[in-house]
């Protein structure tokens, strides 16, 4: 979501005769786009700000801006306590950036952190970095109010772009040669533009170019309709992959989290998804050490992992966030207990993913070539339809190609093979 927002910011700035440099020492303006979802994300921004001091020293005229969720959350602290920061702009005020940066050049610090009920940057064409896949934000904000989550406070109420404007952006991406589009929203399947719902949007997106893959992130289990599952199953270029955050396997904790489903409902949903979409990839998010979490609750989460057998998971320690309901529940699981529970969760999940991936050794999978692999310049990295990461020797293939790869080796996160 932040990558997509950064592309909106780059588009707004370049429309006002700013250009992009990859050398921060030469920049007149430096923005940091921030995330508040967990404390370590915020800590990293403070570290990054400290390293920006050198640029201000070399070039006292440089304007430094903090954008995004932390801007909204920490506004005055960022300006008052950190002399370094000139502008602080929240996620709904990016249109004001050129004006605020101009004021900053003449010495006036600026804060713009109002949230909007309507801003969705519908008319702004994001300035994307070239590649195979494009992010496309289709709705903003979240009305779910999970008790641990700061997003409804930092990004405001849900609002959706018009289907027609999204479709015309996808047409443009197709003509530019993009091979994959990921429709984004904090709570993407509550998309509704007044006329069309999320399955309508996905169907329209997929119809633009049948050779283009369509993905989406992140849905809430409550809003996964049979219509959506049926549409994914029936549409070949909609990827068979769902990231479906469960957060906890304990009904008591799920209730305190305000997740609005029980474990039984969630498991029934995953069964329905697996029956209707054979071969579907499933991944999840887990929080360890939510307030009041007992060893029994923790074991229920581990059991849920074992029952669903996810292809992958993002696993986090609970991080208390001011303003949220969970903040008032106290952060009563001791740090060392959180660390231990998280590492147990990671161990169980990695073992499951390793087993699932090992079953693919010997199989041939279809892969969209995306980029050079992180480990070697001689290898490509790509993903299967159901979101398995695959690494293989280049062997004449080019970025953007669809190739068949025979899998020779696998670990918990990656399949390795060669083109056949
Ligand atoms: N502490 C830990 N993890 C969190 N997440 C959201 N808020 C918190 C928090 N306060 C996780 C959830 C969510 C993912 C994007 O981040 O698992 O699905
Ligand atoms: Fe946060 Fe996601 Fe819950 Fe919305 S649905 S409050 S973004 S965790």
């Amino acid at each position: 979501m932040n990558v997509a927002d950064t592309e909106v910011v780059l588009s707004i700035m370049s429309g006002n005769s700013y250009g992009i440099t990859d050398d921060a020492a030469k920049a007149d303006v430096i923005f940091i786009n921030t995330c508040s979802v967990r404390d370590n994300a915020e800590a990293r921004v403070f570290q990054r700000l400290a390293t920006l001091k050198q640029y201000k020293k070399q070039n006292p005229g440089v304007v430094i801006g903090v954008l995004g969720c932390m801007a909204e959350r920490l506004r005055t602290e960022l300006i008052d306590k950190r002399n370094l920061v000139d502008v602080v702009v929240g996620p709904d005020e990016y249109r004001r950036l050129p004006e605020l940066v101009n004021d900053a050049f003449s010495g006036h610090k600026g804060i713009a952190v109002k949230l909007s009920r309507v801003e969705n940057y519908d008319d702004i064409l994001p300035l994307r970095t070239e590649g195979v896949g494009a992010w496309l934000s289709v709705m903003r904000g979240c009305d779910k109010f999970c008790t641990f989550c700061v997003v409804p406070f930092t990004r405001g109420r849900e609002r959706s772009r018009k289907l027609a404007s999204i479709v015309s952006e996808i047409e443009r991406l197709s003509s530019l040669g993009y091979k994959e589009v990921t429709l984004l929203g904090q709570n993407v399947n509550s998309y509704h533009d007044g006329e069309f719902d999320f399955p309508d949007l996905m169907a329209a997106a997929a119809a633009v170019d049948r050779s283009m893959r369509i993905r989406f992130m992140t849905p809430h289990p409550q809003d996964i309709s049979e219509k959506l599952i049926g549409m994914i199953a029936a549409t070949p270029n909609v990827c068979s992959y769902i990231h479906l955050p469960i957060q906890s396997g304990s009904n008591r904790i799920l209730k305190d989290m305000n997740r609005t489903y029980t474990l039984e409902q969630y498991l029934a949903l995953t069964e329905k998804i697996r029956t209707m979409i054979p071969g579907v990839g499933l991944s999840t998010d887990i929080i360890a050490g939510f307030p009041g979490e007992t060893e029994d609750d923790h074991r229920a989460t581990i059991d849920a992992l074992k029952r669903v057998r996810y292809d992958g998971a993002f696993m986090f320690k609970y991080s208390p966030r001011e303003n949220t309901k969970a903040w008032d529940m106290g952060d009563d699981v001791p740090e060392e207990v959180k660390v231990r529970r998280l590492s147990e969760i990671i161990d169980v999940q990695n073992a499951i993913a390793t087993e699932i991936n090992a079953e693919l050794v010997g199989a041939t999978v279809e892969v969209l070539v995306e980029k050079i692999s992180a480990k070697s310049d001689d290898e490509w990295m790509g993903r299967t339809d159901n979101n398995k990461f695959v690494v293989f020797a280049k062997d004449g293939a080019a970025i953007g190609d669809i190739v068949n790869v025979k899998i020779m080796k696998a670990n918990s996160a990656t399949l390795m093979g060669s083109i056949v």
Side-chain angles (χ1 to χ4, degrees):
M1 190 56 105
N2 266 5
V3 173
D5 271 11
T6 296
E7 292 171 344
V8 166
V9 167
L10 293 177
S11 169
I12 291 170
M13 294 303 285
S14 65
N16 283 268
S17 53
Y18 288 88
I20 305 169
T21 172
D22 48 18
D23 181 359
K26 289 197 185 130
D28 300 308
V29 184
I30 302 176
F31 293 144
I32 305 190
N33 198 357
T34 63
C35 172
S36 284
V37 78
R38 286 172 297 277
D39 187 59
N40 53 1
E42 291 195 347
R44 271 209 302 276
V45 169
F46 284 124
Q47 283 163 15
R48 188 68 66 85
L49 276 174
T51 68
L52 291 185
K53 273 198 189 117
Q54 51 166 316
Y55 301 114
K56 197 83 166 181
K57 226 186 235 162
Q58 283 160 14
N59 170 14
V62 67
V63 167
I64 293 186
V66 173
L67 315 184
C69 292
M70 267 176 88
E72 212 290 321
R73 225 176 74 73
L74 298 173
R75 12 180 142 179
T76 41
E77 180 183 331
L78 285 164
I79 291 260
D80 296 346
K81 292 205 192 132
R82 321 247 155 188
N83 232 337
L84 188 67
V85 179
D86 304 293
V87 294
V88 172
V89 182
D92 287 346
E93 299 248 49
Y94 295 147
R95 286 178 203 270
R96 292 186 55 201
L97 273 171
E99 158 211 335
L100 291 164
V101 168
N102 260 341
D103 292 350
F105 280 133
S106 43
H108 301 291
K109 299 208 171 209
I111 303 186
V113 293
K114 264 200 226 107
L115 289 171
S116 155
R117 284 183 176 267
V118 291
E119 179 62 272
N120 55 25
Y121 302 111
D122 211 6
D123 54 322
I124 291 178
L125 193 66
L127 195 70
R128 296 184 165 89
T129 15
E130 271 168 49
V132 171
W135 304 110
L136 204 170
S137 155
V138 302
M139 58 86 69
R140 298 177 73 83
C142 182
D143 291 351
K144 284 284 188 280
F145 289 93
C146 302
T147 57
F148 52 79
C149 184
V150 79
V151 165
F153 306 97
T154 58
R155 299 188 78 98
R157 298 287 60 74
E158 281 177 12
R159 64 220 103 114
S160 298
R161 291 174 57 180
K162 286 281 179 206
L163 178 138
S165 108
I166 297 165
V167 165
S168 74
E169 197 171 330
I170 298 175
E171 284 165 354
R172 198 186 185 105
L173 292 170
S174 158
S175 68
L176 288 170
Y178 284 92
K179 307 286 181 205
E180 183 178 290
V181 177
T182 305
L183 306 187
L184 292 177
Q186 243 76 44
N187 188 6
V188 74
N189 52 336
S190 21
Y191 173 91
H192 207 294
D193 76 348
E195 193 176 350
F196 298 108
D197 64 8
F198 188 61
D200 296 334
L201 173 68
M202 288 288 288
V208 168
D209 175 350
R210 293 291 177 195
S211 70
M212 212 164 159
R213 285 179 170 183
I214 307 291
R215 297 184 183 276
F216 63 102
M217 248 184 10
T218 292
H220 188 291
Q222 184 194 316
D223 301 322
I224 298 249
S225 60
E226 202 156 313
K227 181 176 168 191
L228 177 61
I229 307 172
M231 192 279 313
I232 299 170
T235 319
N237 64 320
V238 169
C239 291
S240 299
Y241 166 67
I242 305 184
H243 179 66
L244 197 62
I246 183 172
Q247 314 295 2
S248 167
S250 153
N251 279 332
R252 199 176 60 83
I253 296 293
L254 285 172
K255 190 154 189 287
D256 285 353
M257 287 177 163
N258 189 32
R259 284 296 287 180
T260 72
Y261 51 82
T262 62
L263 174 68
E264 292 70 24
Q265 287 165 333
Y266 182 96
L267 293 175
L269 178 62
T270 57
E271 265 167 45
K272 191 195 249 174
I273 291 171
R274 285 201 163 126
T275 312
M276 289 177 67
I277 317 172
V280 66
L282 280 183
S283 59
T284 201
D285 290 345
I286 302 277
I287 297 176
F290 184 81
E293 187 188 75
T294 62
E295 286 303 315
D296 278 350
D297 296 321
H298 169 58
R299 272 191 293 275
T301 297
I302 299 233
D303 275 355
L305 290 176
K306 290 181 176 166
R307 285 178 71 173
V308 180
R309 293 180 65 80
Y310 294 100
D311 297 278
F314 299 100
M315 299 157 280
F316 313 106
K317 272 187 306 183
Y318 170 67
S319 167
R321 308 278 71 203
E322 235 171 319
N323 290 326
T324 61
K325 272 209 170 140
W327 174 268
D328 301 327
M329 300 177 193
D331 183 16
D332 59 0
V333 178
E335 177 65 15
E336 65 275 15
V337 176
K338 278 189 201 168
V339 169
R340 194 245 314 144
R341 287 182 188 166
L342 178 65
S343 89
E344 287 173 7
I345 287 168
I346 292 173
D347 288 348
V348 167
Q349 174 52 34
N350 283 352
I352 292 169
T354 304
E355 282 171 22
I356 294 175
N357 289 345
E359 284 169 22
L360 287 167
V361 172
T364 298
V365 296
E366 198 179 81
V367 179
L368 170 62
V369 182
E370 289 180 36
K371 56 183 175 198
I372 291 175
S373 103
K375 291 219 178 98
S376 158
D377 284 352
D378 302 324
E379 289 175 335
W380 291 133
M381 190 290 288
R383 277 176 300 161
T384 62
D385 175 285
N386 65 359
N387 210 41
K388 298 278 178 193
F389 285 71
V390 188
V391 170
F392 47 97
K394 285 182 171 171
D395 213 3
I399 288 180
D401 287 353
I402 299 260
V403 293
N404 287 313
V405 177
K406 184 165 182 186
I407 304 307
M408 312 292 187
K409 271 197 314 190
N411 60 33
S412 66
T414 315
L415 308 175
M416 287 143 282
S418 41
I419 295 179
V420 289

